[in-house]
Amino acid sequence: MHLLATTNGGLESVTADELDELLGLDAAVHHRGVVEFDGNHEDVYDLHYRSRTCHRVMEVLVDAPVEELEDVYDRTREADLAAHLPSSDFGVVGTRHGSHEFTSVDVAERVGQGVIDGYREATGERLPVDLDDPTVRLEAYLYDDRFTLAIDLTGDSLHRRPYRVCEHDAPLRGTLAYSMLRIAGYGAEDRLVDPMAGSATVPIEAALAATDRPPRPDLEPALDALPRYDGAAFRERRAAHESRSPDLAIEARDRREKWRRCARVNLEAAGFEDAVEVVDADARTAAVEADCVVTNLPFGIRVSEDLRALYADFADRLREGDVDRFVALTTKPELLPMEPVERYDIPYGRIDAAIVAYEP
């Protein structure tokens, strides 16, 4: 079957590499923030407890060219809806890109009507609609003349990590933090330092990856409601998964006691309070020795200090220290006086940001 996975925009290649590493899946970019690949039910179950970069996993119901809005309705109505949808309420999220004489709302409306009419033709039953909290969530994408309709298998997004008890003023998604760790080439045997750790998202994601623990152990995906999936089989596979117990060398540094306390709260929630060291250190002055340095640099939005001086002083500490690889999320990569070896441009909320990798 054909599947989609949503992820952080601009990092589709990182997710594709993860899917290949985990399950040997050959993923390609469907559009920004979404990859597509072929897989089976076991792949779906495994991705819901093993993937660290995906937000949602979806099964494709329709993937066809269209010329006008009514084609969206026709392709939806012709799909084998009765085999994929339960007798439950549903909702449609529409996304449209390109030059069209209609909106994303129009796409969602025509898909919804196509679902109602096609399901009623097949079963004699009219499915109810719930746009606020549907049992079944459908995603409709129209990119130029390509129409793709998929059923959400995940429910609550995989990026919502349960250890996020204490939130930073500028929170970093766990999926984004893990993607940065992949870009840094982090492995369980490496010494990792986050010199501006805040609420410790990067150190916790590193510890989860190094121990191979599921990032969403609390997840109850939408599989139980869907006729072609077995929620019990997913839970059995997750319960049988075995984690590792390597010796970790991870430091969460911050110069502010407020965020060190926050980091400790989240580390305890994740079960790593004794595995990750929380250190009082100023990135402008503290020496750095690590295989990987991965951090979310201050953007300047809530920081009053001179960013140029902060970035320059921190870069000096990196060059003076013993660091193999440095990866940062920043809106001001030009302020780092180093030449990056990799760069990924990403949206960060409504801000344009970049993940940049260096070899100091």
Side-chain angles (χ1 to χ4, degrees):
M1 58 186 172
H2 201 53
L3 300 167
L4 303 179
T6 61
T7 187
N8 295 289
L11 298 177
E12 299 84 7
S13 62
V14 177
T15 293
D17 287 343
E18 183 198 30
L19 299 185
D20 182 36
E21 179 183 294
L22 288 178
L23 301 170
L25 301 173
D26 185 14
V29 178
H30 183 278
H31 62 271
R32 188 171 179 83
V34 180
V35 298
E36 60 181 324
F37 53 97
D38 292 325
N40 55 39
H41 286 79
E42 288 71 26
D43 295 329
V44 169
Y45 300 150
D46 288 353
L47 287 175
H48 277 99
Y49 69 87
R50 296 188 67 193
S51 175
R52 305 177 190 279
T53 69
C54 293
H55 296 167
R56 296 183 184 277
V57 180
M58 299 177 282
E59 181 181 354
V60 174
L61 307 182
V62 179
D63 192 9
V66 297
E67 294 183 0
E68 55 189 14
L69 183 59
E70 204 57 23
D71 293 338
V72 169
Y73 168 82
D74 291 338
R75 300 295 84 76
T76 300
R77 184 178 53 81
E78 294 164 357
D80 189 6
L81 300 168
H84 292 84
L85 303 182
S87 178
S88 302
D89 56 274
F90 76 98
V92 181
V93 177
T95 303
R96 181 198 61 82
H97 285 269
S99 179
H100 305 98
E101 295 181 353
F102 47 85
T103 68
S104 297
V105 174
D106 295 325
V107 172
E109 188 278 328
R110 295 314 291 152
V111 168
Q113 193 60 53
V115 170
I116 291 171
D117 293 347
Y119 195 88
R120 183 165 48 194
E121 289 173 10
T123 68
E125 181 180 354
R126 188 187 194 282
L127 291 180
V129 175
D130 185 340
L131 299 181
D132 296 322
D133 187 24
T135 300
V136 177
R137 181 176 182 268
L138 298 174
E139 288 272 2
Y141 298 114
L142 181 59
Y143 272 67
D144 296 321
D145 64 348
R146 183 184 184 184
F147 170 56
T148 307
L149 177 63
I151 183 169
D152 176 24
L153 308 176
T154 302
D156 189 38
S157 176
L158 291 166
H159 86 272
R160 301 182 190 278
R161 307 298 210 231
Y163 64 76
R164 296 287 288 267
V165 178
C166 181
E167 285 283 9
H168 194 270
D169 289 344
L172 181 66
R173 279 183 173 178
T175 53
L176 191 54
Y178 176 69
S179 295
M180 293 167 65
L181 290 162
R182 286 191 68 87
I183 293 168
Y186 171 73
E189 71 286 351
D190 290 330
R191 182 178 180 188
L192 172 74
V193 172
D194 183 345
M196 305 177 208
S199 56
T201 302
V202 168
I204 292 173
E205 289 295 324
L208 286 169
T211 56
D212 200 20
R213 297 189 196 179
R216 281 295 310 266
D218 61 326
L219 181 72
E220 290 297 334
L223 303 172
D224 282 322
L226 302 175
R228 298 176 63 250
Y229 290 88
D230 186 346
F234 156 72
R235 289 185 286 273
E236 288 173 5
R237 292 177 78 91
R238 180 172 62 184
H241 179 73
E242 295 183 1
S243 60
R244 301 186 293 260
S245 301
D247 292 329
L248 301 180
I250 301 174
E251 283 188 14
R253 298 181 177 182
D254 209 285
R255 65 187 179 93
R256 298 182 180 179
E257 174 58 26
K258 173 184 178 180
W259 298 127
R260 295 197 300 275
R261 288 197 304 267
C262 188
R264 293 187 185 97
V265 168
N266 289 341
L267 285 164
E268 183 176 3
F272 293 117
E273 63 270 28
D274 297 324
V276 174
E277 186 177 4
V278 179
V279 178
D280 179 1
D282 189 328
R284 297 169 298 184
T285 58
V288 187
E289 291 188 6
D291 298 300
C292 300
V293 173
V294 179
T295 197
N296 179 11
L297 289 171
F299 291 178
I301 298 172
R302 296 185 177 91
V303 180
S304 59
E305 59 193 296
D306 184 348
L307 279 187
R308 186 176 299 276
L310 169 64
Y311 280 34
D313 290 345
F314 176 51
D316 286 343
R317 302 294 82 74
L318 290 172
R319 285 190 289 254
E320 293 167 1
D322 184 8
V323 176
D324 290 341
R325 186 92 159 167
F326 165 50
V327 172
L329 171 65
T330 177
T331 59
K332 304 287 185 181
E334 68 276 7
L335 296 185
L336 280 166
M338 296 184 288
E339 189 66 29
V341 295
E342 287 184 77
R343 174 171 173 156
Y344 301 80
D345 292 310
I346 65 169
Y348 190 76
R350 297 182 178 182
I351 305 170
D352 290 331
I355 293 174
V356 281
Y358 305 87
E359 295 176 353

